[in-house]
Amino acid sequence: MTTVLIVDDEGPFVRALGISLRARGYDVETAETGEAGLEIAARAHPDAVVLDLGLPGIGGLEVLRGLRSWSSAPVIVLSARHAEATKVEALDAGADDYITKPFGFDELLARLRVVLRRATPGLDEPVIVTSNFTLDLRAKRASTPTGTEIRLTPTEWGIVETLVRNPGRLVSQRQLLQDVWGPAYETETPYLRVHMAAIRRKLEPDRARPRYFITEAGMGYRFQPEQ
Amino acid sequence: MTTVLIVDDEGPFVRALGISLRARGYDVETAETGEAGLEIAARAHPDAVVLDLGLPGIGGLEVLRGLRSWSSAPVIVLSARHAEATKVEALDAGADDYITKPFGFDELLARLRVVLRRATPGLDEPVIVTSNFTLDLRAKRASTPTGTEIRLTPTEWGIVETLVRNPGRLVSQRQLLQDVWGPAYETETPYLRVHMAAIRRKLEPDRARPRYFITEAGMGYRFQPEQ
DNA sequence: GCGCCGCGTAGAGATTGCGTCAAGGCCATT
DNA sequence: AATGGCCTTGACGCAATCTCTACGCGGCGC
């Protein structure tokens, strides 16, 4: 399920957009101030954010920067301001798109699809095959080579996905905790240890000698594709 | 070097944009028809494409679809048409952005930076290759030329990274200690000696005669790239 | 030639980090 | 109200890593 966070202080607009998104199968969270937006983002880790630049209190740009300090989720900025310098500033601050009001919902939805398909790499090739298991990221299905299903819990999927989306690369414990649990859990390394053990029990042929999910002591974990 | 392909039939515009891009360090290829665009894309493998929708001959959308059949390079579509349905069509056909004319160069350049940073993350993280080892800083991975993995501990990575990020330059012991251990450890030069020995054991062909990690007595260490 | 200084090496001990297990709590489902 | 799945949390043993010390070597100045 894809979660979209809308941060905007115009109630009617937010409600209308929310309905549109939900009708298309997205999960929607909303916030009417920048502070609330950052808070909800930290709790719900949305897959994309629609952010109004003209917010009361802390401005849209601050929200964008706050978000970018830990999240790489795509952000679409909405604004009534047409000035080129403003656009460039927002885009360089980490926004993925900048749409000026007024605009059509269909365009916004299309642009949302664009940033979502770019932000989740490996979605075009979402099946990972090793000689011990097969992962279908899109279907969220794991199975043995013979086809028997392996059940992974939501947390285990979260960890496996971020590791598998960075094949061969080291993923720091910090990033794993941020991706799966949210920025407030950066230091909860014990969680990671427990769940890594569970993942290995299910996916490694010999959990004492991991072959796919490698520990790098003091740094993080690495998914090692076959060959 | 980042290569941008411009497909547009308005000569003066193409020339002006080309100059702007080259001035910013991009490599630029241009094509005035869709057919030529596809041909050049296949030959040059651009990192991004700026594509005019209103082309003579085969249309911009065809070019986009042709491109997407084999390439995932980001495409920014330019068009005079404001109709929402046209935008949605292009975006769903694989475009990463859709800009309506007239527009400012600064905005186009900013949007180009956006799609490039999404499409090629970590473009700036270098890979260091010598005839004795390979270092991939982004993946935090060291290996022999034959592909065997070399394991470096967190401290060793810290030292190697600061040395390798200053190729050929002397890095003082003080700076190394500060970077890796923190400012309170400025005087703990014995640590450095011990860990440099470990690094050489793993990365130098003959640790008695260091070739890559050179000691400058009384001053510091230097990473000597090959050649 | 002699002594000093800085460096490389080795190894023991301390520390940190990791894997494992099991108990307890929360939530949804029945 | 009871069950089962899942996540959190703490305790423990083990492995990896770092710290710290001792020693030997070589260059340099005297």
Side-chain angles (χ1 to χ4, degrees):
Chain A
M1 182 70 98
T2 306
T3 305
V4 179
L5 168 63
I6 310 172
V7 187
D8 195 318
D9 61 323
E10 294 160 43
F13 169 79
V14 173
R15 274 188 290 281
L17 180 56
I19 290 170
S20 267
L21 288 171
R22 274 187 260 265
R24 279 164 184 77
Y26 297 101
D27 225 349
V28 178
E29 300 271 346
T30 61
E32 305 241 328
T33 68
E35 289 86 346
L38 284 173
E39 212 169 287
I40 294 176
R43 177 172 54 69
H45 10 120
D47 300 291
V49 179
V50 176
L51 172 65
D52 185 10
L53 259 200
L55 286 173
I58 108 174
L61 265 185
E62 319 286 321
V63 177
L64 179 54
R65 296 209 177 89
L67 210 60
R68 274 288 169 271
S69 68
W70 63 269
S71 167
S72 61
V75 174
I76 296 183
V77 164
L78 308 180
S79 167
R81 303 189 55 185
H82 285 68
E84 199 171 3
T86 313
K87 294 186 188 180
V88 172
E89 192 181 4
L91 292 170
D92 279 339
D96 290 82
D97 207 336
Y98 186 109
I99 311 184
T100 51
K101 305 179 184 179
F103 56 85
F105 269 16
D106 287 339
E107 179 179 352
L108 174 55
L109 291 169
R111 289 184 181 269
L112 195 56
R113 289 193 289 275
V114 167
V115 296
L116 281 171
R117 91 180 159 226
R118 269 294 173 205
T120 47
L123 212 71
D124 44 340
E125 185 151 351
V127 181
I128 291 90
V129 181
T130 75
S131 55
N132 204 55
F133 58 84
T134 301
L135 295 173
D136 186 335
L137 292 188
R138 196 195 300 269
K140 281 222 189 310
R141 255 186 82 90
S143 54
T144 63
T146 60
T148 319
E149 189 175 351
I150 305 173
R151 296 190 72 100
L152 298 184
T153 70
T155 312
E156 287 159 17
W157 266 112
I159 298 172
V160 168
E161 269 198 57
T162 60
L163 286 175
V164 158
R165 287 227 160 97
N166 297 286
R169 292 210 291 273
L170 179 90
V171 183
S172 68
Q173 320 184 57
R174 194 195 195 91
Q175 194 191 325
L176 279 169
L177 287 163
Q178 277 184 1
D179 274 19
V180 179
W181 279 271
Y185 294 78
E186 266 187 13
T187 56
E188 300 290 342
T189 53
Y191 293 10
L192 220 44
R193 294 213 294 273
V194 172
H195 289 285
M196 283 304 304
I199 291 170
R200 286 183 174 137
R201 251 198 308 277
K202 296 178 181 177
L203 298 181
E204 289 280 1
D206 175 6
R207 66 173 166 174
R209 245 164 278 104
R211 195 167 147 193
Y212 306 106
F213 297 95
I214 314 288
T215 303
E216 303 279 0
M219 302 195 289
Y221 294 87
R222 179 198 311 280
F223 171 67
Q224 181 69 47
E226 222 141 53
Q227 269 14 311
Chain B
M1 181 69 102
T2 307
T3 305
V4 179
L5 167 63
I6 310 173
V7 187
D8 195 320
D9 61 324
E10 295 159 43
F13 169 80
V14 173
R15 274 188 291 282
L17 180 56
I19 289 170
S20 267
L21 287 172
R22 273 187 261 265
R24 280 164 182 78
Y26 296 100
D27 225 350
V28 179
E29 300 273 345
T30 60
E32 308 239 327
T33 67
E35 289 85 347
L38 284 173
E39 211 168 289
I40 293 176
R43 177 175 53 69
H45 292 275
D47 299 291
V49 179
V50 176
L51 172 65
D52 185 10
L53 218 50
L55 288 171
I58 104 174
L61 265 185
E62 319 288 320
V63 177
L64 179 54
R65 296 211 176 88
L67 209 59
R68 274 289 169 271
S69 66
W70 60 270
S71 165
S72 63
V75 174
I76 295 183
V77 164
L78 309 178
S79 167
R81 303 189 54 186
H82 285 68
E84 199 172 2
T86 314
K87 293 188 188 178
V88 172
E89 192 180 5
L91 293 170
D92 280 339
D96 289 84
D97 208 337
Y98 186 109
I99 311 183
T100 49
K101 304 179 185 177
F103 56 85
F105 269 18
D106 287 339
E107 178 178 351
L108 173 57
L109 292 169
R111 289 184 180 270
L112 193 58
R113 288 192 291 275
V114 168
V115 297
L116 281 172
R117 88 181 161 225
R118 272 290 174 203
T120 53
L123 194 70
D124 45 343
E125 287 292 0
V127 177
I128 292 92
V129 180
T130 74
S131 54
N132 204 54
F133 59 84
T134 302
L135 295 174
D136 185 334
L137 293 189
R138 177 157 73 115
K140 273 217 190 323
R141 226 189 137 87
S143 54
T144 64
T146 58
T148 318
E149 191 176 344
I150 305 173
R151 297 204 119 177
L152 299 184
T153 70
T155 315
E156 287 158 16
W157 268 112
I159 298 172
V160 168
E161 272 199 52
T162 61
L163 287 175
V164 158
R165 285 188 202 278
N166 297 287
R169 290 207 293 276
L170 176 83
V171 182
S172 69
Q173 317 187 37
R174 194 196 198 88
Q175 192 190 327
L176 278 169
L177 288 162
Q178 270 188 13
D179 274 21
V180 180
W181 279 271
Y185 294 77
E186 269 186 9
T187 55
E188 300 288 344
T189 53
Y191 293 8
L192 217 43
R193 292 212 295 274
V194 170
H195 289 284
M196 283 304 305
I199 290 170
R200 286 183 175 136
R201 243 195 317 275
K202 296 178 181 178
L203 297 182
E204 289 281 1
D206 175 6
R207 65 174 165 174
R209 245 163 272 108
R211 194 166 148 196
Y212 305 107
F213 297 95
I214 314 289
T215 304
E216 302 280 357
M219 308 177 60
Y221 295 87
R222 174 202 313 280
F223 170 67
Q224 183 69 46
E226 221 140 53
Q227 274 21 307

